Amino acid sequence: MKNNENDRYSYFTTGEFAKLCNVGKQTLFYYDKIGLFSPEIVADSGYRLYSYEQLEVFTGISVLKEMDMSLNDIKTYLENRNPQNLLELLETKQKEAQIKIERLSELKKYLATKSEIVLECMNASEGSVSYVTLPEEYYIFSEYHGSPEISEITTAFIEHLNYCHSFGIFSPYPVSGIVKTDNIPGPEVYGYARIYTRISNKIDIPRVAIKPAGTYAVIYHKGGFRSVYKSYQKLVTDIRCKDFKLGDFFYEDTMLDELAMHGYNNYTLKISVQCIDKTESNN
């Protein structure tokens, strides 16, 4: 070990080295403690001194940390480093980086769709019926045979969500309910036929169905589930006044849930149903 005090002016103190590397002194103390990176000189006076050459080593450690390597793995690599090991490490990390890029890309799409849903609700006109042309959509469904009790419905929603997750599907669209149009909700009648989650593309797993393309009547309900039957009835009345025939299902989407609102009674729901021209349906 060198211990010449004059050497001190050719090296960096712990504080100087830490500042150059943009880390705290405690990081350098910890690295020394675990045997990962130690000062080149510990002088008789107690000074801990780092050399210029060690800047390159520390930079390498920082790069390896950016690759999500643990300190133990970094230590093992540095003790056995050579060009071949570096090449293998870089190839492995490139593959891992590509996986992360793909995951982040999916996350970005997920967040963008969530934002679109929130903006749609914020700009929606509550209680008014509109008619829109929608393309064909796909959804995953679970048949529902439970009661209208919120506890049973919530359990079914969770089971359905777990089913989706079992196939690696994390849709940005809300888990929602489907009601048959021959069972129009009223004050005492309100039953889901299916629990469903919209997906972006058709996939080859069980229980994937199509929401057909066509003209849909849409109404937004801001007031949760207890009074939503009023919006169903308003929607049906408007459709019948325009002499349309109802499709098979109402699609009830929970657009703003507990992440945006406090309590079921403040949720925003979107109800849509296909409208079929009676003349065309008779043909």
Side-chain angles (χ1 to χ4, degrees):
M1 179 188 299
K2 297 180 180 179
N3 57 13
N4 189 338
E5 285 290 322
N6 292 327
D7 288 340
R8 177 207 177 316
Y9 301 102
S10 301
Y11 291 83
F12 300 105
T13 66
T14 301
E16 291 168 341
F17 195 84
K19 186 175 181 180
L20 281 172
C21 297
N22 197 29
V23 297
K25 291 195 293 184
Q26 292 301 321
T27 298
L28 295 178
F29 293 148
Y30 181 67
Y31 284 4
D32 184 23
K33 180 180 178 181
I34 64 175
L36 173 62
F37 183 76
S38 300
E40 186 168 311
I41 295 174
V42 178
D44 292 341
S45 61
Y47 272 111
R48 301 160 63 84
L49 302 175
Y50 295 84
S51 69
Y52 286 92
E53 289 84 356
Q54 286 186 288
L55 285 169
E56 293 292 337
V57 179
F58 192 88
T59 299
I61 291 173
S62 299
V63 169
L64 295 175
K65 280 187 66 181
E66 284 294 317
M67 296 180 185
D68 286 337
M69 287 182 67
S70 69
L71 295 181
N72 283 337
D73 287 344
I74 293 173
K75 181 181 177 183
T76 299
Y77 169 76
L78 291 177
E79 290 171 348
N80 300 278
R81 61 187 184 269
N82 58 54
Q84 182 60 39
N85 286 348
L86 177 60
L87 181 61
E88 293 175 1
L89 175 64
L90 294 175
E91 290 176 347
T92 298
K93 292 303 177 181
Q94 284 183 72
K95 293 176 183 177
E96 292 178 2
Q98 184 58 41
I99 292 172
K100 287 182 181 179
I101 290 170
E102 292 170 1
R103 287 177 178 170
L104 286 173
S105 178
E106 289 301 314
L107 177 60
K108 184 179 179 181
K109 292 178 184 177
Y110 180 98
L111 296 174
T113 301
K114 280 291 188 185
S115 296
E116 290 171 3
I117 292 170
V118 174
L119 286 171
E120 178 184 339
C121 288
M122 291 174 65
N123 296 325
S125 177
E126 180 189 6
S128 62
V129 180
S130 60
Y131 292 82
V132 296
T133 301
L134 298 177
E136 184 176 87
E137 297 173 357
Y138 298 96
Y139 64 89
I140 302 171
F141 69 92
S142 300
E143 299 290 355
Y144 182 68
H145 303 289
S147 74
E149 294 297 324
I150 191 67
S151 59
E152 289 194 37
I153 294 173
T154 300
T155 299
F157 272 40
I158 294 172
E159 290 175 350
H160 171 78
L161 194 61
N162 288 337
Y163 175 77
C164 294
H165 291 173
S166 71
F167 289 98
I169 297 166
F170 296 85
S171 173
Y173 298 100
V175 178
S176 301
I178 290 176
V179 177
K180 291 183 178 179
T181 52
D182 60 4
N183 189 28
I184 299 170
E188 306 297 333
V189 179
Y190 189 179
Y192 291 128
R194 289 177 172 178
I195 309 299
Y196 89 108
T197 300
R198 180 180 164 187
I199 52 178
S200 299
N201 301 295
K202 185 178 181 181
I203 53 178
D204 187 20
I205 66 171
R207 297 176 4 203
V208 172
I210 297 173
K211 181 180 178 181
T215 299
Y216 281 77
V218 178
I219 190 169
Y220 292 85
H221 178 83
K222 299 180 180 180
F225 299 96
R226 293 185 184 277
S227 59
V228 69
Y229 73 90
K230 297 178 182 178
S231 291
Y232 273 97
Q233 294 178 348
K234 184 174 184 178
L235 183 68
V236 170
T237 298
D238 197 275
I239 293 169
R240 287 175 175 168
C241 286
K242 291 180 170 55
D243 208 30
F244 281 120
K245 177 183 175 183
L246 296 174
D248 294 330
F249 300 113
F250 294 105
Y251 298 88
E252 181 189 287
D253 298 310
T254 305
M255 304 292 280
L256 295 182
D257 56 16
E258 207 65 38
L259 282 177
M261 311 300 293
H262 291 283
Y264 289 120
N265 293 333
N266 295 309
Y267 285 12
T268 296
L269 309 175
K270 175 185 177 181
I271 307 161
S272 60
V273 62
Q274 188 176 18
C275 300
I276 302 171
D277 187 284
K278 288 184 176 180
T279 303
E280 292 181 4
S281 63
N282 290 333
N283 293 335

